[in-house]
Amino acid sequence: MKRQLKHMLCLLLLFAATGCESFLDEKPDNALVVPATLQDLEALLDDHSVIANNYPSMAEISADNYYLTDVDWAGLPEEEYRRAYIWEKDRVFLPRRNDWYYAYRSVYSANTVLETVEKIHRTPAEAARWDNVKGQALFVRGSSFLQAALLWAPVYREGTAATDMGIPLRLGTDFNEPSVRASVEQSFQRIILDLKAAVPLLPVTPVHVIRPSRSAAYGLLARTYLYMGNYPLAEVYADSALQLNATLMNYSSLNAAASFPIARFNPEVVQHSLLMSLNPSLAVSRARIVPELYDSYADDDLRKTVFFRNNGDGSFAFKGSYSNSGLFGGIATDELYLTRAEARARQGKVPEALDDLNALLITRWKDGTFVPLTAGDQAEALEIVLQERRKELVMRGLRWMDLKRFNRDGAGITINRTINGQEYTMPPHDPRYALPIPEDVIELSGMQQNPR
């Protein structure tokens, strides 16, 4: 059943993200299964190659957590990969199979479920299962739209969000409906609407953390509001998530010498997903952690050995993923503690912010060595929280959204890369912070490209 559904989706998804005036000339295979039952819909949502294992990785590729040597950059197998690393203005995605395709592939799966589940009678015996299916689909669509907005839309600014170009909001499976770009405001309101609608439908405890839960939906709402700069609501939703799951691992119990010390599906994982590995820039054999980040960890901070592997040449690779060998792209309790701490610090709740931060950090340092952090005022507390956010959430695909929002708020961060003696820079407010939509998508859909 899962294989038949997957074949059907692969056929249908050819034009799902762009819209078209006609479908395929060839008649579809009569053996393909049209989803019609809750079991069918669960099979679509449990296809992790579509839903959970291909989150866009370009945010991490574009951010400043790592660097490539000249040799490794030159050895990338595609020109688009080399262009992406140095923030070129166009042609940074391979055609067809790219971050856009995978984001909207998930959207299409979610829309298929949402359209079909309404045709299935919600019986008392199957009510919880029906709700869970619909809630999962809403979560998947909201999450996919959020990933797309963080990549292809300019940063959320309250004053201009109503007119800034956002993303296409595909809300159905009709290929004949053209794709048009909603505003940034409309894009984020849809994300919020989907995630809020998912909350009461999802279970508190999922069958497995690959499936979303109520705390996962709260966590994504917290991430969304943090990015938007709505700190009271970021605090509310991070707190709601932590009320359901506040577990933290003690890093002293981990084997820091292991190739990958942190277990997949560990107790901190609220919802598990992976950044796609299509672009090899992030391979552990290539991506080297920038020295200033590695040097920011104190010697008694266990993250210095749990997160990083010595390459033997003075550089370090990242090995601390919450998904073992793959790069974790989901939601975990450590992010929720940091979101609540930042939201509280920005509201002047300094003691509460430091309580959150210290609760996290005591689990990251060698037993008996951690001294709780203090701050003299709100500005110092916020600075400490943001430093720890950078150190804790490394290589999770979150740094790009942080750079965008920090620069919106006046941080003035310029990031740099050097290849073959030539320096490439990404200054604050550069239009390239909204990545170019893949050229084949523009050609098929007629949508307006991001300004360069």
Side-chain angles (χ1 to χ4, degrees):
M1 176 66 72
K2 287 185 180 180
R3 180 174 295 178
Q4 289 173 313
L5 290 171
K6 186 172 181 179
H7 287 331
M8 179 196 70
L9 278 178
C10 288
L11 180 66
L12 296 178
L13 278 162
L14 180 61
F15 300 115
T18 58
C20 61
E21 295 181 359
S22 63
F23 190 45
L24 301 177
D25 293 333
E26 296 182 7
K27 299 175 83 173
D29 185 347
N30 290 331
L32 294 176
V33 175
V34 177
T37 67
L38 292 177
Q39 181 181 3
D40 294 341
L41 300 183
E42 286 173 336
L44 285 179
L45 292 166
D46 286 340
D47 185 354
H48 308 312
S49 66
V50 174
I51 302 299
N53 289 353
N54 278 304
Y55 275 32
S57 59
M58 190 61 83
E60 190 60 53
I61 289 165
S62 302
D64 60 344
N65 286 324
Y66 77 105
Y67 70 95
L68 299 179
T69 66
D70 294 348
V71 171
D72 285 335
W73 178 81
L76 292 172
E78 302 289 348
E79 176 65 17
E80 286 84 354
Y81 301 154
R82 292 186 286 275
R83 294 176 66 82
Y85 180 75
I86 56 176
W87 308 301
E88 288 285 7
K89 295 180 179 181
D90 56 12
R91 294 190 295 114
V92 301
F93 293 102
L94 290 173
R96 296 288 293 279
R97 297 284 176 159
N98 51 46
D99 284 37
W100 182 280
Y101 169 83
Y102 284 106
Y104 280 94
R105 190 181 180 197
S106 295
V107 169
Y108 186 83
S109 293
N111 284 335
T112 299
V113 172
L114 290 169
E115 289 179 355
T116 306
V117 75
E118 296 297 341
K119 301 173 185 176
I120 300 172
H121 181 58
R122 183 179 180 274
T123 66
E126 293 277 58
R129 188 180 187 187
W130 192 99
D131 289 350
N132 192 4
V133 165
K134 184 175 181 179
Q136 287 185 64
L138 287 165
F139 177 93
V140 168
R141 190 171 71 181
S143 173
S144 299
F145 282 155
L146 178 59
Q147 295 166 51
L150 294 175
L151 280 181
W152 288 290
V155 67
Y156 184 93
R157 295 179 185 274
E158 188 173 355
T160 62
T163 54
D164 288 339
M165 286 192 300
I167 59 171
L169 298 172
R170 302 289 300 185
L171 302 180
T173 59
D174 183 0
F175 298 124
N176 295 311
E177 181 182 343
S179 287
V180 295
R181 296 184 68 171
S183 70
V184 169
E185 183 65 40
Q186 291 169 332
S187 301
F188 277 89
Q189 289 309 313
R190 169 50 61 180
I191 292 163
I192 290 167
L193 186 65
D194 280 354
L195 294 175
K196 284 186 175 179
V199 166
L201 300 173
L202 291 170
V204 173
T205 304
V207 172
H208 193 282
V209 291
I210 287 181
R211 286 187 177 182
S213 62
R214 194 169 299 178
S215 57
Y218 283 141
L220 268 193
L221 282 164
R223 185 186 293 177
T224 301
Y225 280 120
L226 187 73
Y227 179 73
M228 295 171 70
N230 189 330
Y231 303 116
L233 286 180
E235 179 188 4
V236 165
Y237 284 106
D239 182 71
S240 295
L242 288 169
Q243 292 299 320
L244 298 176
N245 182 2
T247 303
L248 291 170
M249 293 181 289
N250 188 333
Y251 275 24
S252 293
S253 66
L254 303 178
N255 178 11
S259 297
F260 299 102
I262 302 176
R264 195 181 189 198
F265 312 135
N266 67 72
E268 291 187 14
V269 174
V270 175
Q271 187 270 329
H272 182 275
S273 60
L274 287 174
L275 302 184
M276 72 173 72
S277 57
L278 182 66
N279 188 321
S281 297
L282 298 176
V284 68
S285 60
R286 284 190 176 91
R288 289 163 165 78
I289 297 300
V290 294
E292 59 269 25
L293 176 56
Y294 177 79
D295 292 341
S296 67
Y297 297 85
D299 289 341
D300 287 331
D301 188 337
L302 292 167
R303 293 173 297 184
K304 195 166 190 175
T305 51
V306 168
F307 282 1
F308 306 114
R309 182 192 74 190
N310 192 327
N311 289 327
D313 60 0
S315 69
F316 294 85
F318 180 71
K319 65 172 185 176
S321 173
Y322 273 34
S323 188
N324 202 274
S325 58
L327 287 181
F328 181 76
I331 305 164
T333 54
D334 58 346
E335 180 192 350
L336 297 172
Y337 274 95
L338 288 161
T339 296
R340 192 170 67 180
E342 180 181 344
R344 287 173 167 175
R346 289 187 182 275
Q347 296 175 83
K349 301 177 181 179
V350 172
E352 295 91 336
L354 292 176
D355 284 346
D356 277 337
L357 191 59
N358 287 325
L360 171 66
L361 292 180
I362 197 171
T363 69
R364 286 1 188 193
W365 284 57
K366 293 178 183 178
D367 287 341
T369 65
F370 179 68
V371 178
L373 301 179
T374 60
D377 56 25
Q378 179 184 3
E380 185 181 4
L382 179 59
E383 181 181 3
I384 294 170
V385 169
L386 296 184
Q387 288 172 350
E388 294 302 328
R389 179 179 175 86
R390 174 85 189 278
K391 291 156 66 175
E392 178 70 19
L393 303 180
V394 60
M395 302 298 278
R396 292 204 198 169
L398 298 175
R399 177 63 175 170
W400 189 245
M401 68 165 256
D402 285 348
L403 289 168
K404 291 174 75 166
R405 66 188 182 93
F406 294 160
N407 281 331
R408 172 196 62 201
D409 298 338
I413 301 170
T414 294
I415 56 179
N416 305 276
R417 284 174 173 162
T418 302
I419 290 293
N420 295 325
Q422 181 174 348
E423 186 175 23
Y424 299 87
T425 64
M426 178 74 82
H429 317 303
D430 193 292
R432 290 174 295 167
Y433 269 109
L435 271 63
I437 295 173
E439 284 75 12
D440 58 334
V441 174
I442 296 296
E443 182 178 353
L444 283 169
S445 67
M447 286 189 296
Q448 186 175 348
Q449 180 61 277
N450 283 324
R452 299 288 90 190

Coordinates of all heavy atoms in Angstrom, one line a residue, residues 78 121 179 276 295 401-402:
E78 N 28.7 19.6 -8.3 CA 27.8 20.5 -9.2 C 28.1 21.9 -9.1 O 28.4 22.4 -8.0 CB 26.3 20.2 -8.9 CG 25.8 18.8 -9.0 CD 25.8 18.3 -10.4 OE1 25.8 19.1 -11.3 OE2 25.6 17.1 -10.6
H121 N -16.1 9.6 7.0 CA -17.0 9.8 8.1 C -16.2 9.6 9.4 O -15.5 8.7 9.6 CB -18.2 8.9 8.1 CG -19.1 9.1 9.2 ND1 -19.8 10.3 9.5 CD2 -19.6 8.2 10.2 CE1 -20.5 10.2 10.5 NE2 -20.4 8.9 11.0
S179 N 0.1 29.1 -9.4 CA 0.8 29.5 -8.1 C 1.1 31.0 -8.2 O 1.6 31.5 -9.2 CB 2.1 28.7 -8.0 OG 1.9 27.4 -7.6
M276 N 17.8 17.5 4.4 CA 18.2 16.6 3.3 C 19.7 16.7 3.0 O 20.3 17.7 3.2 CB 17.4 17.0 2.0 CG 17.8 18.3 1.4 SD 17.0 18.6 -0.2 CE 15.4 19.0 0.3
D295 N 35.9 27.9 19.4 CA 36.7 28.5 20.5 C 35.8 29.1 21.6 O 36.3 29.4 22.7 CB 37.6 29.5 20.0 CG 38.8 28.9 19.2 OD1 39.0 27.7 19.3 OD2 39.4 29.7 18.4
M401 N 17.7 31.7 9.9 CA 16.6 32.5 10.4 C 17.0 33.5 11.5 O 16.5 34.6 11.6 CB 15.4 31.7 10.9 CG 15.7 30.9 12.1 SD 14.1 30.2 12.9 CE 13.9 31.3 14.2
D402 N 18.0 33.1 12.3 CA 18.5 34.0 13.4 C 19.2 35.1 12.8 O 19.1 36.3 13.2 CB 19.4 33.2 14.3 CG 18.6 32.3 15.3 OD1 17.4 32.4 15.3 OD2 19.2 31.5 15.9

